[in-house]
């Protein structure tokens, strides 16, 4: 098996930590249940393991641009057909447009599997779901009727066109133009870069969502509108019509995710591409923001998913590879390297972070579900605030860690890891984009200190610190967990100091907390990850007392929590110190001296 | 300029921290001087910047195996010719064989430049120098006369053939056979993998050093002998003769250093390759060990060199790229990203480690020079012990950090960093091998806790901790440096605890210190790097008082030292905690549960 979906851990996290039973009681999710979720995840696991995972290496050979058309790897076409036919794409799309309307929490677990199995491939449905969300929330009924069913079914795919060469993360600089036409449509002209799955041959049509400016639009971010620009115009009967004036003019030669064509898209080279306004004029950026939490959570899942697959590969290699004697034994016979303490240390460093990240990511997904569906407005708002705080952490921490974790997996392989045929190098290369796209770690960190910490005076942050303390106090009564409890309490104290510092200094001189913003993000990732491991350890202890308990799994969960406390939380404390004491040395350095 | 040799910092480190003037008084090095060194480094800088650096991207397209012969990138052939003609290859080769006999310290600075300019290319001379060293130390006069002048001049290149498929780092498993022939030569048969520059078209001949077993050899590492196996036999007049029975049967498809052909070498497919015993039978491994310090120091330099080049690229991009407003200003105009605090933080994180690593690497090189040349046997032995302790740290820390530093450089570029044409991705891919070959970080760390710490009861480690304390106490009198002094003292205390722990536990159960061995290595890297930054800060303060002082450089050096204290040394403390408290959680985990 080249990938084995971690169903046991997923179900533990969903049921025990992310409160799936409660999520299934939210309005609109009543048809979901723990049993249905198990059935879905079982099927998803088979699909990911047997259909998607085997296409991953082939995808690394990349897509090609031939005569203006993108040719994807052959293996992807068959996989896409199966994926669509099985109905996977609409899992969390609204039921009224052919989707299955499942909670984000459940969909997320399947998305982890898709991303583990084949990240490059999984970006096509992920982007398509983003366009589904945009249509569902903001488009007119007319546009919804034309596009939504085809997108939610996977008959067509969707793309997001934000970036332009002069405007990377700074969308205020967007220059693509949209000129109104007598028939109510718009002529779109401009160039967009880094368009994931911008062109391909998997489907009959591609639906581009494009940020552009109307002629009378205000400067900056308040003058950006959202348009839909189909690759092929759509006839009144819903069939695919004439080719629109939008073209893939080149594909990027990237370090990884080669199977995913990253396109430079040119709009309007021959007079203007026909586009249609989504929602109201000049609200494009705010529409993007409403989708951002889902998208960023999705990229957090990507990081987690690559870490998981790399971990599995490293474990397998470590069990198979026999080299060097046991350091403590008298016997000179070489042993499997999994017996070497440093190899165990590497595997546990991967495993502990993966488990903590899966838990925190799912907790964020539950908050997202509650924020969108909870009947009580206060609970809704409280969960929205929680989501807003957690998203940059999940996105930033999971993806930064994915670089480290895939690197450790490669390291476990020694020289073989550096050989492409081994396959682990691909995870390392693929992972590297996740800390960049959908907002770099620096951008996540700025969001976290500003809008998510300083803006509410640290309220949500302090609420979470309180929860960490509660868990740590409960852990103190559990002898095996005493060191973890101590580490959590020590870091909770540091967290309070960091939050006070961020809130105070942000108002005074935002550059100071900004200098420590990534450390603050990583600190909170580790702290909240440790909190989840602590929660898991407590629950595991209770479960161990039950009849028929899976003792091996539950004991491993507790052992992993202990490791997290001893190996990861000291790093958290170091980050906190840097937040509190590191700003001056960053800001004082003479710019000319770099 | 795509690469700018950091001459100012190199000369500061050589002269002020690594005591170049004293090294030039060692027997055999008297012809070297500070002035000569400056002249050599000036010329080397021009060569690296103008000749080697421009070939680096072209090299990434890789070498090809065509009809059993390796074709290297065209740009490499011209560069090799110029490199050899300029005499660079023999810089630290013995003068009696046409080399220039310069100190390792001076040669190292040039090697940093070669590796920064083109790592894949630089491996050819680096391996060749390794064979020069092996011949000079262990070969008979007859073999020396045949091979040494050609290797030291670069007319031929050399390779090291250690690894076999079943024997990665565990050379006890070597199976290649050597059968004595009536003429005193040997027939060599076997397969070697991961042979750097194992075949190529840069020179008329290639000289392979091969580990193999004689028919009557004992089992394990004590039955390995060293042989020289030329690609072409050498006629009595020194000219190149018949093709020997050794062939490159395939090239590895690696993640990076594509320009460097990594060969699978097959010996004796047609009856046996003619080989000649180097030194005595069954001493091959001990000969390899004598070269190991140089080789591992060299790989440490590789890591440093890629970090330096990636840093330069990131600084350049950060100055040029204009995006997003100043977080603290009222003005909405986008600014160069170098003004954003987190970008400054990333650049300083790179810079601070690079400067510390350059200093520690050069201090190790000076100890190496003293260990080989000091007239006083006690000083010689003292320095050898110092070298032995520092090498695994320099190798392990520099290369692990190179992964992080090249990753930060890529991150500074945002999405552009992930595009291969930008070039920074190549540094990231190239760097990844350095923590693996010539002994993985795990192997360095085991060496450090065992042979280098436990074996002498922690004597050398404690001597170094004492030096750190002395520097920290001097820094305490320097107001700007007070926080650095405090961090050094705190970590010196932790270092004493770690050394005591390693020494005590190693005898009791070596698996416990082994579980924290990489943390111990990284801890010592950061501690000793911080020590060097502290020394540099003190010297810079004195120099600032002198007429004509380069105030910008010296102030930046001090500012970088302050940053190192606030951002890197807290991480050191976290590693120390893990050494002291992390073993049980690594060892207790049930192997079946991974």
């Amino acid at each position: 098996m080249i990938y084995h979906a971690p169903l046991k851990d997923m179900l533990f996290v969903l049921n025990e930590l992310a409160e799936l039973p409660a999520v299934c009681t939210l309005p609109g999710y009543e048809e979901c249940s723990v049993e249905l979720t198990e059935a879905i995840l079982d099927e998803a696991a088979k699909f990911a393991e047997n259909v998607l995972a085997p296409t991953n290496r082939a995808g690394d050979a990349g897509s090609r641009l031939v005569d203006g058309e993108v040719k994807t790897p052959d293996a992807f076409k068959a996989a896409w057909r199966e994926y669509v036919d099985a109905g996977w794409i609409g899992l969390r799309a609204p039921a009224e447009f052919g989707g299955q309307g499942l909670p984000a929490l459940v969909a997320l677990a399947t998305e982890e599997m898709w991303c583990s199995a084949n990240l490059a491939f999984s970006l096509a449905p992920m982007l398509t779901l983003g366009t589904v969300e945009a249509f569902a929330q903001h488009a007119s009924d007319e546009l919804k009727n034309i596009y939504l069913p085809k997108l939610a079914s996977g008959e067509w795919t969707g793309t997001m066109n934000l970036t332009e060469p002069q405007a990377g993360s700074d969308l205020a600089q967007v220059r693509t133009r949209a000129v109104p036409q007598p028939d109510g449509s718009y002529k779109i002209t401009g160039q967009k870069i880094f368009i994931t799955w911008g062109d391909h041959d998997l489907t009959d049509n591609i639906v581009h969502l494009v940020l552009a400016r109307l002629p009378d639009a205000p400067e900056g971010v308040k003058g950006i509108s959202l348009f839909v620009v189909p690759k092929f115009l759509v006839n009144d009967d819903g069939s695919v019509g004439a080719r629109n004036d939008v073209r893939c003019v080149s594909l990027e030669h990237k370090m990884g995710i080669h199977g995913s064509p990253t396109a430079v898209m040119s709009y309007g080279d021959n007079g203007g591409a026909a586009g249609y306004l989504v929602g109201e004029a000049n609200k494009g950026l705010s529409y993007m923001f409403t989708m951002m939490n889902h998208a960023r959570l999705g990229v957090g899942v990507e990081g987690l998913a690559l870490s998981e697959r790399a971990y599995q590969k490293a474990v397998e290699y470590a069990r198979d590879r026999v080299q060097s004697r046991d350091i403590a034994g008298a016997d000179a016979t070489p042993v499997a390297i999994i017996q070497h303490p440093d190899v165990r240390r590497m595997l546990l460093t991967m495993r502990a972070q993966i488990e903590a990240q899966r838990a925190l990511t799912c907790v964020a997904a539950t908050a997202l579900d509650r924020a969108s569906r909870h009947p009580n407005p206060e609970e809704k708002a409280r969960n929205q605030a929680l989501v807003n705080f957690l998203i940059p952490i999940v996105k930033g921490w999971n993806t930064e860690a994915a670089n480290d974790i895939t690197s450790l997996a490669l390291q476990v392989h020694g020289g073989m890891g550096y050989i492409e045929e081994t396959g682990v190098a691909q995870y390392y290369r693929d992972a590297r984009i996740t800390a960049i796209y959908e907002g770099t770690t620096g951008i996540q960190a700025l969001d976290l200190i500003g809008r998510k910490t300083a803006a509410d005076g640290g309220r949500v942050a302090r609420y979470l610190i309180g929860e960490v303390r509660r868990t740590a106090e409960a852990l103190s009564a559990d002898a095996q967990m005493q060191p973890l409890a101590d580490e959590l309490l020590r870091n909770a104290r540091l967290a309070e100091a960091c939050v006070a510092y961020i809130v105070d200094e942000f108002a005074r001189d935002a550059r100071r907390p900004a200098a420590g913003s990534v450390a603050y993000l990583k600190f909170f990732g580790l702290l909240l990850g440790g909190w989840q491991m602590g929660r898991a350890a407590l629950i595991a202890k209770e479960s161990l007392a039950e009849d028929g308990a899976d003792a091996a799994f539950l004991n491993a969960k507790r052992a992993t929590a202990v490791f997290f406390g001893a190996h990861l939380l000291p790093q958290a404390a170091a980050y906190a110190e840097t937040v509190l004491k590191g700003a001056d040395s960053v800001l004082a350095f003479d710019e000319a001296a770099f």
Side-chain angles (χ1 to χ4, degrees), chain A:
Chain A
M1 179 83 53
I2 53 178
Y3 165 64
H4 188 76
L7 284 175
K8 218 179 252 191
D9 196 55
M10 284 178 166
L11 289 169
F12 177 86
V13 167
L14 261 61
N15 291 329
E16 307 292 344
L17 301 176
E19 301 172 78
L20 175 61
V23 170
C24 293
T25 66
L26 292 171
Y29 292 153
E30 296 93 343
E31 285 181 28
C32 189
S33 67
V34 170
E35 293 68 34
L36 179 67
T37 299
E38 283 184 19
I40 290 170
L41 297 193
D42 268 340
E43 284 305 310
K46 286 180 205 154
F47 192 85
E49 293 166 359
N50 301 326
V51 180
L52 286 189
T55 63
N56 193 46
R57 282 285 300 148
D60 199 41
S63 297
R64 292 163 306 123
L65 183 64
V66 182
D67 299 333
E69 304 285 333
V70 173
K71 307 292 177 197
T72 58
D74 287 339
F76 279 27
K77 291 182 196 63
W80 178 261
R81 192 45 45 212
E82 287 196 61
Y83 187 85
V84 166
D85 290 347
W88 289 118
I89 203 160
L91 220 56
R92 63 174 161 89
E96 62 263 43
F97 297 104
Q100 299 183 49
L102 285 167
L105 177 61
V106 176
L108 208 74
T110 64
E111 283 162 23
E112 185 194 318
M113 297 184 209
W114 315 146
C115 294
S116 284
N118 189 332
L119 178 62
F121 176 92
S122 74
L123 299 178
M126 202 172 286
L127 268 292
T128 302
L129 271 175
T131 60
V132 166
E133 202 181 341
F135 273 100
Q137 290 188 23
H138 306 297
S140 65
D141 286 343
E142 192 189 344
L143 289 178
K144 276 185 193 166
N145 288 332
I146 299 172
Y147 293 101
L148 257 180
K150 308 264 189 179
L151 289 166
S153 67
E155 191 173 336
W156 299 346
T157 65
T159 75
M160 296 286 179
N161 293 243
L162 284 69
T163 306
E164 299 177 11
Q166 80 291 348
S169 308
D170 186 4
L171 294 173
Q173 309 302 318
V174 160
R175 289 188 199 142
T176 295
R177 286 175 304 119
V179 179
Q181 303 298 308
D183 67 352
S185 73
Y186 295 79
K187 287 278 183 215
I188 312 289
T189 324
Q191 197 177 76
K192 295 286 182 177
I193 61 169
F194 296 159
I195 308 309
T196 300
W197 285 93
D199 194 43
H200 61 79
D201 53 6
L202 301 184
T203 57
D204 295 338
N205 206 358
I206 301 171
V207 181
H208 303 292
L209 286 180
V210 182
L211 290 184
R213 285 184 190 283
L214 292 166
D216 58 352
E219 290 279 298
V221 293
K222 291 184 176 156
I224 298 174
S225 305
L226 181 64
F227 297 88
V228 53
V229 184
K231 178 177 177 183
F232 290 94
L233 299 176
V234 183
N235 298 324
D236 288 345
D237 64 357
S239 63
V240 167
R243 187 75 165 82
N244 202 354
D245 186 12
V246 48
R247 249 155 221 97
C248 167
V249 292
S250 72
L251 289 183
E252 303 293 355
H253 178 213
K254 308 185 298 294
M255 187 169 71
I257 52 167
H258 292 154
S260 162
T262 303
V264 177
M265 300 300 296
S266 191
Y267 290 85
D269 287 348
N270 299 302
Y276 309 92
L277 183 66
V278 176
E280 295 177 43
N282 299 330
K283 296 217 166 161
L285 205 70
S286 68
Y287 296 164
M288 284 291 141
F289 268 99
T290 63
M291 296 187 296
M292 204 173 271
N293 276 338
H294 244 129
R296 290 182 169 179
L297 191 61
V299 178
V301 170
E302 294 176 21
L304 164 65
L306 285 172
S307 296
E308 171 68 35
R309 183 144 182 201
Y311 166 73
Q312 291 186 16
K313 195 165 182 67
V315 169
E316 187 185 23
Y317 187 81
R319 288 197 202 283
D320 290 350
R321 176 72 175 176
V322 171
Q323 192 181 287
S324 300
R325 55 184 285 176
D326 178 355
I327 189 176
D331 188 347
T333 315
V335 298
I337 64 171
I338 199 169
Q339 294 185 39
H340 297 318
D342 185 56
V343 173
R344 297 176 68 92
R345 190 265 315 169
M346 290 194 274
L347 296 177
L348 280 163
T349 304
M350 295 181 236
R351 179 188 183 93
Q353 290 180 92
I354 289 166
E355 290 189 8
Q357 286 168 355
R358 182 174 294 122
L360 192 63
T361 304
C362 288
V363 164
T366 292
L368 195 62
D369 281 325
R370 286 181 169 142
S372 76
R373 301 290 180 116
H374 206 286
N376 177 335
E378 269 175 42
E379 274 299 292
K380 210 173 153 88
R382 203 183 66 81
N383 277 284
Q384 187 63 54
L386 207 53
V387 170
N388 292 346
F389 187 83
L390 291 176
I391 292 291
I393 295 170
V394 167
K395 200 284 186 183
W397 179 45
N398 288 13
T399 60
E400 289 284 329
N403 292 331
D404 298 338
I405 292 169
T406 55
S407 182
L408 282 172
L410 195 154
Q411 189 74 18
V412 168
H413 287 77
M416 289 306 296
Y418 202 60
I419 307 299
E420 287 288 356
E421 283 79 359
T422 305
V424 67
Q426 185 185 349
Y427 309 145
Y428 183 67
R429 289 185 288 100
D430 285 357
R432 192 61 191 82
I433 190 60
T434 62
I436 296 173
Y437 64 15
E438 204 55 47
T440 61
T441 308
I443 286 171
Q444 305 302 324
L446 273 189
D447 182 44
L448 183 64
I449 61 164
R451 280 184 292 269
K452 310 302 173 61
T453 301
D456 77 349
R459 200 176 49 82
V460 176
R462 289 201 183 91
Y463 160 76
L464 286 167
I465 298 168
E467 292 294 302
V468 174
R469 278 192 182 283
R470 276 206 315 143
T471 298
E473 280 152 18
L475 285 165
S476 298
D478 180 341
Q480 189 190 351
M481 294 298 149
Q482 189 62 56
L484 173 61
D486 292 346
E487 279 292 335
L488 285 173
L489 288 171
R490 164 206 193 188
N491 277 292
R493 282 191 294 277
L494 285 166
E496 278 151 13
C498 286
V499 170
Y501 172 86
I502 299 285
V503 172
D504 292 352
E505 294 289 328
F506 197 86
R508 211 169 297 159
D509 177 359
R511 291 177 307 159
R512 290 171 56 79
S517 58
V518 168
Y520 179 74
L521 182 152
K522 290 183 175 176
F523 168 69
F524 258 102
L526 291 167
L527 174 68
L528 299 181
W531 167 44
Q532 294 305 320
M533 294 308 288
R535 290 183 63 210
L538 291 169
I539 292 164
K541 187 170 191 185
E542 281 185 30
S543 300
L544 276 164
E546 292 167 12
D547 279 349
D550 185 345
F553 174 79
L554 296 167
N555 282 321
K557 180 63 85 177
R558 284 170 60 81
T560 307
V562 173
F563 178 91
F564 197 101
H567 287 252
L568 279 316
L569 288 178
Q571 298 288 337
Y575 286 127
E577 284 184 42
T578 300
V579 171
L580 297 170
K581 299 191 297 190
D584 290 339
S585 64
V586 172
L587 301 175
F589 196 82
D590 179 13
E591 186 180 313
F594 275 111

